[in-house]
Amino acid sequence: PRLDAFIARRDEITRIYRERLAEVDGILPLADPVWEHRHARHLFVVRVDEQACGMDRAAFMEGLKARNIGTGVHFLASHMHRWYRDHRPQWQGSLPHTEWNSARICTIPCFPDMTDADAHGVVDAIKETLAGARSAVAGGIA
């Protein structure tokens, strides 16, 4: 009975993320699906383009963790899982676009109990994390 309200709230959080992340180089949200069905938006997935933002996914996730923002890696290209690496190593490198995305995607919080301030806080934490990486590179630390 609460599903419609949950989805509506996630839609609002998604709008905030899309508007605010459009200002952030190197953090690329996945496109909205184009279909006639309603999307549950239970995850908000971004790609971390290390060349554009100055850090890889692991450093990005660690930077958000240090700011009390949880992230996750929910998807890994099938042929990149250990069984395939061990038993079908010839498949590594066979899907370069899939592998590029697989190495860079992670999720940021998107749950119905979040307030607008929470969503803005996630984006602010992303900006702070990236600013720290850029200043480290500019200062010669990287």
Side-chain angles (χ1 to χ4, degrees):
R2 298 178 298 172
L3 182 60
D4 287 338
F6 285 175
I7 294 172
R9 182 65 195 137
R10 287 184 181 129
D11 284 341
E12 293 167 1
I13 295 164
T14 295
R15 277 192 287 284
I16 291 169
Y17 282 160
R18 291 204 179 283
E19 287 172 12
R20 299 272 326 272
L21 290 173
E23 314 162 352
V24 180
D25 290 335
I27 302 301
L28 312 168
L30 293 187
D32 280 330
V34 181
W35 58 31
E36 295 178 21
H37 303 287
R38 189 171 186 195
H39 193 298
R41 300 201 190 280
H42 68 290
L43 298 174
F44 191 87
V45 180
V46 297
R47 288 166 291 187
V48 181
D49 182 348
E50 60 203 73
Q51 291 183 342
C53 70
M55 62 183 3
D56 66 11
R57 175 179 65 192
F60 174 78
M61 293 174 72
E62 194 60 35
L64 290 179
K65 181 179 178 182
R67 291 167 175 80
N68 295 316
I69 305 294
T71 58
V73 176
H74 295 273
F75 307 104
L76 179 64
S78 296
H79 68 292
M80 303 301 287
H81 285 268
R82 184 170 42 204
W83 188 91
Y84 289 97
R85 289 193 318 266
D86 293 346
H87 295 91
R88 302 290 189 271
Q90 71 275 16
W91 292 0
Q92 304 301 302
S94 65
L95 299 168
H97 298 293
T98 299
E99 293 166 20
W100 187 92
N101 281 286
S102 181
R104 288 163 180 80
I105 60 175
C106 69
T107 60
I108 59 176
C110 188
F111 53 92
D113 289 338
M114 290 178 72
T115 64
D116 287 2
D118 292 334
H120 287 288
V122 169
V123 177
D124 291 343
I126 288 171
K127 289 180 173 186
E128 291 169 10
T129 297
L130 298 178
R134 290 183 180 119
S135 65
V137 170
I141 296 170

